[in-house]
Amino acid sequence: VTFAEETRVRAVGGGAYAAVIAEGWDVLGNTNGGYLLTLAARASMEEAGRPDPVSVTAHYLRPSQAGEAEIGTTVLKEGRRFATVSAMVRAGGQDRVAVLGSYGDLEGRGGFERMESAAPDLPAPERCVRLEPTETFPPPVTGKIDLRLHPDDAARLLDGGSGEPRVSGWFRLGDGEPMDTVALLLAVDVFPPTSFNARLPVAWTPTLELTAHVRARPVPGWLRCQFSTRFITGGFLEEDGEVWDDSGRLVAQSRQLALLPESR
Amino acid sequence: VTFAEETRVRAVGGGAYAAVIAEGWDVLGNTNGGYLLTLAARASMEEAGRPDPVSVTAHYLRPSQAGEAEIGTTVLKEGRRFATVSAMVRAGGQDRVAVLGSYGDLEGRGGFERMESAAPDLPAPERCVRLEPTETFPPPVTGKIDLRLHPDDAARLLDGGSGEPRVSGWFRLGDGEPMDTVALLLAVDVFPPTSFNARLPVAWTPTLELTAHVRARPVPGWLRCQFSTRFITGGFLEEDGEVWDDSGRLVAQSRQLALLPESR
């Protein structure tokens, strides 16, 4: 079963789309947030007739599990370059994920470039550590993808964390399935949280909000990904992500706001 | 006239709020996007009964000018800690700004802290360069606030830019009016764009999307702000902002996705 199949949406009229939240995308018993975002993006893109997400924001209202879902969409603006769409992922009779996004066509966009840094330096994928799914950590969702952590991060995660809230590694879909720009929305939310490396006094940092910017369509091959957190304060932390394709091009950036549960 | 007065919203029933887009908040003939966001946030907060924005995303659909406006709001989720609200700023019969945000109460939140960096180093406000409004640059909106650029940034801006897409300085409301967390949504979108310092081959970089995370209520006094851009590619640039209060606390972070118009 491919990612393309497991993120398929079907128009049912009135801006609504039927989807199935597939089995096995779980983290701690709940469906991965990046996967849920891909469903909302596919419905929004189809409704607006645009091939790529450009800037997409999700607010996570309630956890979700596998099963039937409906995505309601409303096109707010149809512009020349972008369409802006509001979407809601509903399952089990409840709203789960609210999404606001702008979508467009990222084919062949170029122009002036200025890059402060290049793709992260990683050992070759075969020298990195593939996360294999367990019931706890690594979570079941890692069985759906091919995620290979930098060996330093992998060793430190198992050893209680480096103390530095950073994580990096390679990402591709299972069996090397080709990745469209929607797959990037999964890539930015499927790595172990930076908090796992930071020796925080909490077991989990739930995501309140995630925004992804897609800059370009990735060329075929592995994605290089890195995530870091600069500020843990006020009961929140941000997690910033970068995704680079196999040609060394920045294809996506992400930032999420996660909650630091109060320790007791 | 105070910021509090010029961002007042009035419930008119059915989740709708009446507001007036005040005169003088202009940049190049259009109302500043941060100011428009504050109207949406005030309406959303009132509708949800929450005192602070926590994570707020705006997609800018069309430019706006001064005049009557209506903000339509829909509460999507009422949680224990957060309420999530969708809002639309309408004026002149058209949708202008779509906003999705989560709101809560940031009073006295604390807990574990880990900070990668501290507030930016700035000369005292009286040794920085206050931007005074003109019809072009600095824009009229600078007459509504007290914005003082780092002297290096100010000198370079006038000299065509340092080449580094960064800008920093002090911010407060006019006459030192006390700032609530909504004022932070203005602070993150009212500095000269980083592109002005970067010698880009364009005159303006319109904002497609802006997300602000509010971490804490600011103590009275000046805000220290800095903005930087790491990646100009694919026809887009991100602009990341940090806002620190007078006690040295990070009170807000922001990221916007701006368009690099194709040079001809």
Side-chain angles (χ1 to χ4, degrees), chain A residues 7 22 27 59 95 119 138 149 158 161-162 172 176 182-183 195 242 247 256:
Chain A
T7 57
V27 179
H59 285 245
D95 293 343
L149 286 189
L158 295 173
S162 65
R172 64 177 181 183
V182 172
S195 55
E242 294 170 19
S247 73
Q256 62 170 266

Side-chain angles (χ1 to χ4, degrees), chain B residues 145-198:
Chain B
I145 56 179
D146 190 347
L147 195 166
R148 306 199 184 185
L149 287 189
H150 192 296
D152 294 349
D153 287 328
R156 287 164 181 161
L157 276 174
L158 295 174
D159 191 33
S162 65
E164 295 291 317
R166 302 177 190 289
V167 63
S168 62
W170 301 94
F171 172 89
R172 65 177 180 182
L173 293 176
D175 299 322
E177 180 185 345
M179 289 183 279
D180 61 5
T181 42
V182 172
L184 302 175
L185 306 180
L186 176 63
V188 298
D189 196 38
V190 79
F191 275 69
T194 56
S195 56
F196 276 32
N197 232 343

Side-chain angles (χ1 to χ4, degrees), chain A residues 25-153:
Chain A
W25 289 91
D26 294 5
V27 179
L28 291 176
N30 298 319
T31 306
N32 169 262
Y35 171 76
L36 294 171
L37 177 55
T38 66
L39 299 179
R42 290 229 191 272
S44 299
M45 288 157 57
E46 186 167 330
E47 187 67 13
R50 310 281 172 149
D52 299 297
V54 175
S55 175
V56 180
T57 291
H59 285 245
Y60 292 95
L61 309 181
R62 293 178 183 87
S64 252
Q65 285 83 35
E68 293 191 0
E70 184 178 272
I71 300 106
T73 66
T74 305
V75 178
L76 305 175
K77 162 92 188 290
E78 298 249 34
R80 189 179 60 84
R81 283 193 58 199
F82 306 108
T84 302
V85 184
S86 165
M88 178 66 81
V89 180
R90 299 189 184 92
Q94 287 199 296
D95 293 343
R96 306 283 171 171
V97 187
V99 177
L100 178 62
S102 288
Y103 303 85
D105 185 342
L106 294 174
E107 177 68 38
R109 299 276 313 161
F112 182 89
E113 292 226 340
R114 185 187 185 286
M115 306 296 283
E116 188 111 322
S117 61
D121 212 16
L122 296 170
E126 55 273 19
R127 294 200 293 121
C128 286
V129 179
R130 181 166 185 175
L131 291 187
E132 303 281 359
T134 69
E135 281 308 301
T136 55
F137 182 83
V141 64
T142 55
K144 293 285 191 179
I145 56 179
D146 190 347
L147 194 166
R148 305 199 185 186
L149 286 189
H150 191 297
D152 294 350
D153 287 328

Side-chain angles (χ1 to χ4, degrees), chain B residues 216-257:
Chain B
R217 296 185 186 163
V219 301
W222 286 95
L223 300 174
R224 287 171 194 255
C225 306
Q226 67 177 2
F227 301 89
S228 61
T229 294
R230 298 181 59 222
F231 302 118
I232 305 175
T233 184
F236 300 96
L237 61 148
E238 94 288 2
E239 181 169 326
D240 285 353
E242 293 171 18
V243 182
W244 302 74
D245 77 4
D246 209 38
S247 73
R249 184 170 196 188
L250 180 75
V251 290
Q253 259 185 309
S254 66
R255 172 172 286 174
Q256 61 170 267
L257 185 65

Side-chain angles (χ1 to χ4, degrees), chain A residues 109 113 116 166 233 262, chain B residues 109 113 116 166 233 262:
Chain A
R109 299 276 313 161
E113 292 226 340
E116 188 111 322
R166 301 177 190 287
T233 184
E262 293 180 54
Chain B
R109 300 274 313 161
E113 291 225 343
E116 188 111 324
R166 302 177 190 289
T233 184
E262 294 181 54

